[in-house]
Amino acid sequence: MSKSKTANKQDTKPVVLVVDDNQQNLELLQVYLEDVDCRAIPAQDGPEALEIIAKDPPDLILLDVMMPKMSGFEVCRRIKNDPKTSDIPVIMVTALSEFGDIERGIDSGTDDFLSKPVNKLELLTRVKTMLKLKHLTDKLQRTLAYLNEIEKQAQTAKSEPDNRLIKS
């Protein structure tokens, strides 16, 4: 395969943003993600994650809950409240297990949870499912935009007089 084809193939891989303030957890999640056809990008805190998301939104976010500077709950809330990023699936990765913490995660907009310590099979299954869901959501949005454009063109064509019927 030529270099340009390889580069293009890598460019089309889904991007997973992995956010965790613990370097060992960050590295472990990235190693686990090597078994998924994706590109993992690390972030060590909430503000860094939001900066990365603003520049180039990922296809999926794995988000630690307990972080300094900004909690995962707040990061998730900001992602979900922004119309440009609200469709990005977020999986919260947490050692918290109290119902109140789960409720708080749901209130912030998370799409799923993973408990620490992370089970590799569970992580890979949920990541693959969320990436498939994101791919289908994106495809649906493109199809709807295409249909809206066709509808606009049809409306424009209807409102214009048919010049073929007008004789000089």
Side-chain angles (χ1 to χ4, degrees):
M1 191 180 282
S2 72
K3 282 187 180 182
S4 62
K5 286 184 182 176
T6 303
N8 288 340
K9 186 176 180 186
Q10 287 177 344
D11 291 344
T12 61
K13 283 185 178 183
V15 175
V16 178
L17 179 61
V18 183
V19 188
D20 200 311
D21 61 311
N22 181 303
Q23 188 62 35
Q24 288 178 318
N25 290 344
L26 199 59
E27 290 173 9
L28 179 65
L29 290 171
Q30 288 180 275
V31 168
Y32 283 175
L33 289 172
E34 288 175 1
D35 288 350
V36 178
D37 189 27
C38 71
R39 193 165 51 97
I41 297 177
Q44 297 206 332
D45 58 40
E48 181 184 3
L50 291 173
E51 187 178 313
I52 291 169
I53 293 164
K55 287 180 184 171
D56 191 17
D59 297 292
L60 173 63
I61 301 166
L62 295 177
L63 182 61
D64 183 28
V65 172
M66 302 301 294
M67 295 185 292
K69 297 183 185 176
M70 185 183 297
S71 75
F73 298 123
E74 178 62 19
V75 174
C76 187
R77 188 188 63 72
R78 290 184 186 197
I79 292 165
K80 295 301 184 173
N81 285 337
D82 183 341
K84 291 180 260 173
T85 60
S86 62
D87 287 339
I88 301 172
V90 176
I91 300 175
M92 286 194 163
V93 184
T94 181
L96 302 175
S97 59
E98 296 293 317
F99 182 75
D101 297 321
I102 293 170
E103 190 173 26
R104 197 169 162 204
I106 292 167
D107 288 344
S108 68
T110 191
D111 296 285
D112 205 350
F113 288 93
L114 276 173
S115 296
K116 289 181 181 178
V118 173
N119 174 287
K120 182 180 179 181
L121 179 60
E122 187 178 6
L123 170 77
L124 297 178
T125 301
R126 291 182 190 212
V127 165
K128 288 176 185 176
T129 299
M130 286 294 180
L131 287 174
K132 185 183 289 186
L133 179 63
K134 177 70 164 85
H135 170 75
L136 292 172
T137 300
D138 290 349
K139 190 174 182 178
L140 177 61
Q141 287 175 343
R142 286 190 304 272
T143 302
L144 289 172
Y146 175 71
L147 290 173
N148 283 336
E149 186 59 35
I150 290 174
E151 187 176 12
K152 284 179 189 174
Q153 290 173 1
Q155 291 297 329
T156 303
K158 260 188 196 178
S159 64
E160 293 175 359
D162 191 345
N163 292 331
R164 292 175 295 167
L165 297 177
I166 301 172
K167 294 187 179 182
S168 307

